[in-house]
Amino acid sequence: MSSTEFQTVLKTASGYLDVAANAHGEEKAFLAVQALKRTCHPSPHVVAVGPGGGSAVAHLASQLSLGEPHVESARLTLIEVPGVTSSSLADAVEAFSRVGTCQLVSGFAQDMGTLLTEPADVISASALLHEVYSYAGGYTGLHGVIRTLPTVLRPGGMFAYRDVYAVKGVSLHDGSLQTYTSRSWLRFLRMFVPQYLEHGTHPYHSASDPMVFRQDSRIVPVERLDEMTSAVIAAPAGVFREVQRHYITLRDHVWRSGVLGFRPFLEGPLAADWIDARRGHKRVHYALTDTDWLPDSQKSMLIALSERYIDHYTVDGDIFDECTDIALNAFLTLAEHGDGECGEVWQNWVTREGRETYAYMTLDSLLAAVAVHSTEVAQNQRTVLMPVQPTDVLRRDRTYYNRYLRRALPNPLRDAKQLVLFTNIPVGDTRSLSEGMHCLQQWCSKGSLARVYSAINSGG
């Protein structure tokens, strides 16, 4: 399946854009709002790349309606893949039109230079670079988009970016050990890892990158993992990040499908019923579905531990997670053999999400790559993209997922989103460059800092 087919057929279904991909609007728009507070233009031009279901557009509209940030007239340009539409995005565009002007442009991120007719003061994107990496040429496509950004941003303009947090380390290729004991996780490894390593776009190709699986102290092929026996696995840290994040996305996908016999509320007010938000402990609200393959004992167990709440049920999140893993293992048993609805739900997820690489750079590598490649553009005034304030680099933890992962895995990786606000600094602006380099020192290795310094000064 081509990149165009992937994006316009699978990721444009109403259940994906209007529901699954349309949450966290405040987080997606957070840095764009901060950027607008710092812009000097009374009528700033904001560009949102890949607005999806429009949650960020809706939040930005609500903030502007409150006068925070204060601008005279905001102009918003949305760049979306050809053929992508959603009712929730249409609603968000209508809401924004009450506080500014909004136009939707059809095209791809890598073509921003020809799609935009005027420079942007702020460009905002969420999960853009990992999708470009996964479906539009790997690092070549990724670096191409980075080189385009300085050509469409005004000098001093800002690029607000949000994506999956990688790992805390110098490299995603650093060797790591993980132990897996859960049957559902072991079965997932057996099903997911071979197809991801064979069909996904990923950077794990060197001689030091292979995964080594051991059960009962013996090396076994991943295809022969026994879900009844604990496994110790040696692999690059980045591969474990992919396994962990993909398991979470599969779990959410299966939940939304209703195939397990229940469908939790993952969006809206009921999805934020916290018992202890700081610790990630929540109360899960769910409705029953008419699935008939799951044993009645598993359905009745969950209901027995739940309480009736108006027209649905509610249960402690920890209990729900435990019951989910039991049901998910039963689902994977059938899906592995391609049986019926379970096989179809699995295949839909594999096609839509299973080939993506969520983490392809650590924060160190990302900041250095954006800075270095942004200087490689031939333009009258050379610029470099860097954060200039300590608060321009943020991490938003997923406390609920982290709570689950700590209970499911002996040594899980942190699940989070990383947010970076890059400023398009003219290389002749020594004061801003100094602030940017000082900021990079807090996040980047000396080797990365040297690369950035060399790139900035390569033009004299």
Side-chain angles (χ1 to χ4, degrees), residues 162 172 350:
R162 167 188 178 270
L172 288 168
V350 165

Side-chain angles (χ1 to χ4, degrees), residues 193-211:
V193 169
Q195 72 85 29
Y196 171 72
L197 293 180
E198 181 176 353
H199 300 294
T201 301
H202 60 82
Y204 307 106
H205 302 290
S206 74
S208 59
D209 284 338
M211 301 183 74

Side-chain angles (χ1 to χ4, degrees), residues 24-207:
H24 304 294
E26 181 277 333
E27 183 179 283
K28 292 176 182 177
F30 177 78
L31 287 181
V33 171
Q34 302 309 306
L36 286 172
K37 291 179 180 178
R38 285 154 58 174
T39 187
C40 298
H41 202 294
S43 180
H45 180 209
V46 182
V47 176
V49 185
S55 60
V57 176
H59 181 78
L60 182 57
S62 69
Q63 293 299 106
L64 289 171
S65 68
L66 297 173
E68 186 67 30
H70 177 71
V71 297
E72 291 182 9
S73 176
R75 294 168 296 133
L76 178 63
T77 300
L78 307 177
I79 298 178
E80 188 56 278
V81 172
V84 173
T85 59
S86 75
S87 59
S88 55
L89 177 59
D91 293 340
V93 169
E94 183 179 347
F96 194 92
S97 297
R98 291 192 286 269
V99 296
T101 62
C102 184
Q103 66 168 331
L104 179 63
V105 177
S106 181
F108 295 93
Q110 51 267 41
D111 300 323
M112 274 188 291
T114 57
L115 293 173
L116 297 176
T117 58
E118 64 170 313
D121 296 283
V122 179
I123 296 178
S124 178
S126 176
L128 167 68
L129 297 182
H130 90 236
E131 296 225 10
V132 170
Y133 175 88
S134 297
Y135 302 105
Y139 284 114
T140 300
L142 177 64
H143 296 160
V145 169
I146 294 172
R147 294 187 189 103
T148 300
L149 289 169
T151 69
V152 293
L153 274 173
R154 298 184 192 276
M158 285 162 273
F159 173 49
Y161 188 60
R162 167 188 178 270
D163 211 329
V164 173
Y165 175 73
V167 296
K168 187 177 181 180
V170 175
S171 172
L172 288 168
H173 297 269
D174 289 346
S176 183
L177 281 175
Q178 289 275 10
T179 302
Y180 293 86
T181 59
S182 166
R183 293 179 63 187
S184 62
W185 280 84
L186 287 162
R187 193 182 293 273
F188 176 76
L189 283 162
R190 188 170 69 203
M191 297 171 65
F192 167 74
V193 169
Q195 72 85 29
Y196 171 72
L197 293 180
E198 181 176 353
H199 300 294
T201 301
H202 60 82
Y204 307 106
H205 302 290
S206 74

Side-chain angles (χ1 to χ4, degrees), residues 165 168 393-397 414 416-419:
Y165 175 73
K168 187 177 181 180
V393 182
L394 304 170
R395 185 186 68 215
R396 293 282 186 94
D397 288 340
R414 184 189 297 272
K417 295 289 184 179
Q418 59 189 28
L419 290 74

Side-chain angles (χ1 to χ4, degrees), residues 174-422:
D174 289 346
S176 183
L177 281 175
Q178 289 275 10
T179 302
Y180 293 86
T181 59
S182 166
R183 293 179 63 187
S184 62
W185 280 84
L186 287 162
R187 193 182 293 273
F188 176 76
L189 283 162
R190 188 170 69 203
M191 297 171 65
F192 167 74
V193 169
Q195 72 85 29
Y196 171 72
L197 293 180
E198 181 176 353
H199 300 294
T201 301
H202 60 82
Y204 307 106
H205 302 290
S206 74
S208 59
D209 284 338
M211 301 183 74
V212 179
F213 300 80
R214 286 183 172 84
Q215 289 185 310
D216 293 332
S217 300
R218 295 183 179 183
I219 296 178
V220 297
V222 61
E223 295 85 355
R224 290 170 54 190
L225 272 180
D226 180 2
E227 72 271 14
M228 301 297 291
T229 305
S230 297
V232 177
I233 305 171
V239 176
F240 289 125
R241 153 57 70 216
E242 297 306 319
V243 168
Q244 187 173 292
R245 183 95 282 273
H246 279 87
Y247 185 96
I248 291 295
T249 66
L250 172 67
R251 198 174 72 142
D252 285 357
H253 176 75
V254 174
W255 280 354
R256 286 190 176 95
S257 74
V259 72
L260 297 184
F262 46 81
R263 183 180 287 113
F265 294 86
L266 299 180
E267 288 82 26
L270 293 179
D273 186 1
W274 294 103
I275 298 173
D276 186 340
R278 188 173 62 86
R279 297 179 182 274
H281 191 190
K282 68 161 52 176
R283 187 177 291 104
V284 174
H285 294 254
Y286 69 92
L288 297 178
T289 63
D290 57 2
T291 295
D292 59 5
W293 63 268
L294 196 67
D296 289 339
S297 60
Q298 293 193 21
K299 284 186 178 180
S300 58
M301 177 182 65
L302 180 60
I303 294 174
L305 296 169
S306 305
E307 296 179 6
R308 190 77 184 182
Y309 187 90
I310 310 176
D311 60 346
H312 60 273
Y313 293 89
T314 182
V315 65
D316 181 281
D318 292 346
I319 294 174
F320 185 79
D321 288 342
E322 190 168 344
C323 292
T324 289
D325 273 6
I326 295 171
L328 191 60
N329 185 59
F331 162 86
L332 291 172
T333 301
L334 296 178
E336 191 169 19
H337 297 93
D339 289 355
E341 187 179 6
C342 294
E344 182 180 348
V345 170
W346 165 265
Q347 194 57 48
N348 286 342
W349 174 82
V350 165
T351 307
R352 192 181 69 199
E353 304 280 355
R355 295 180 176 87
E356 291 196 4
T357 292
Y358 295 118
Y360 44 85
M361 293 181 185
T362 61
L363 188 57
D364 174 9
S365 300
L366 174 64
L367 294 175
V370 172
V372 169
H373 293 294
S374 65
T375 67
E376 297 170 346
V377 185
Q379 52 183 346
N380 293 332
Q381 185 178 26
R382 289 180 69 237
T383 57
V384 56
L385 286 165
M386 290 193 293
V388 295
Q389 298 180 8
T391 53
D392 287 347
V393 182
L394 304 170
R395 185 186 68 215
R396 293 282 186 94
D397 288 340
R398 293 290 180 263
T399 57
Y400 169 61
Y401 289 137
N402 285 323
R403 182 182 181 89
Y404 163 71
L405 291 167
R406 286 194 298 269
R407 299 172 75 243
L409 302 174
N411 51 335
L413 301 172
R414 184 189 297 272
D415 195 79
K417 295 289 184 179
Q418 59 189 28
L419 290 74
V420 184
L421 183 58
F422 297 92

